[in-house]
Amino acid sequence: METYAKLMIDFLPTAPDDAWLWFACDSNYDGNGELISWMIEQPSCPEAAALAIYWYSGAGYYAQYQTREQVPKFGQVTFDVLQTLQQRLLGGFYRKTAVGFDPSNDPTPIGSLIGPGYDWVAAKPASQSLPSGVRDAVPGTNFGAMNMPEGWVEGMPPEIDAVLEQEYTEEEEI
């Protein structure tokens, strides 16, 4: 994943705002910790992408815990990330753009591409305890992975996907 993270970190700073959201909504979150950590550290990250990362990272599940100590050990790092994201989202750390995200009406949540309109907030009862600033929509155009240009895969543009496919092919030949 080092190549993947490096290529995306090189790409995103000059990418259109919607590319950040496409990554947030279509990425495979397993093994993407390095890239996601980088994204949420960037004040240039669009607010909509940060909010999508917040919900896709399990905000609804972790809302049942009030403190880090209550969280099972396996989830404490994710809890910390969510706390940081929440603080930054509520504090206006991320860049406002024309791209929006509505956690109550996600047009293309992972695994539900045939069922747009997923409500992350209602999915877990504990989500109601989260501050309204992370339950409410970020205003703007609310589109998701179904709007990615042709050739994009898991939030990656075709040129990055091609490099990774070549790398995987070379590794298999060894």
Side-chain angles (χ1 to χ4, degrees), residues 59-67 70 124 126-127 129:
Y61 169 78
Y62 287 96
Q64 68 185 305
Y65 302 109
Q66 303 305 308
T67 66
Q70 294 173 325
K124 301 280 185 184
S127 296
S129 68

Side-chain angles (χ1 to χ4, degrees), residues 51-135:
L51 185 61
I53 290 169
Y54 180 77
W55 285 99
Y56 279 71
S57 295
Y61 169 78
Y62 287 96
Q64 68 185 305
Y65 302 109
Q66 303 305 308
T67 66
R68 185 181 204 273
E69 292 71 34
Q70 294 173 325
V71 178
K73 291 256 186 249
F74 72 84
Q76 289 181 345
V77 170
T78 301
F79 182 83
D80 294 343
V81 168
L82 289 167
Q83 292 299 300
T84 297
L85 265 168
Q86 181 174 301
Q87 179 183 20
R88 289 178 177 170
L89 284 160
L90 296 174
F93 179 79
Y94 298 107
R95 190 167 53 87
K96 302 216 182 288
T97 69
V99 176
F101 179 76
D102 184 351
S104 296
N105 184 23
D106 184 351
T108 55
I110 292 173
S112 299
L113 294 178
I114 60 170
Y118 186 75
D119 188 344
W120 291 98
V121 178
K124 301 280 185 184
S127 296
Q128 297 306 314
S129 68
L130 296 171
S132 63
V134 293
R135 288 184 286 127

Side-chain angles (χ1 to χ4, degrees), residues 3 12-13 16 20 34 40-41 43-44 60 82 88 92 99 122 125 140 148 151 171 173:
T3 301
L12 284 171
W20 290 72
E34 181 182 355
I40 66 173
E41 291 297 320
S44 60
L82 289 167
R88 289 178 177 170
V99 176
M148 287 189 303
E171 286 176 6
E173 292 173 357

Side-chain angles (χ1 to χ4, degrees), residues 136-149:
D136 299 338
V138 169
T141 304
N142 186 29
F143 55 80
M146 293 174 85
N147 301 96
M148 287 189 303

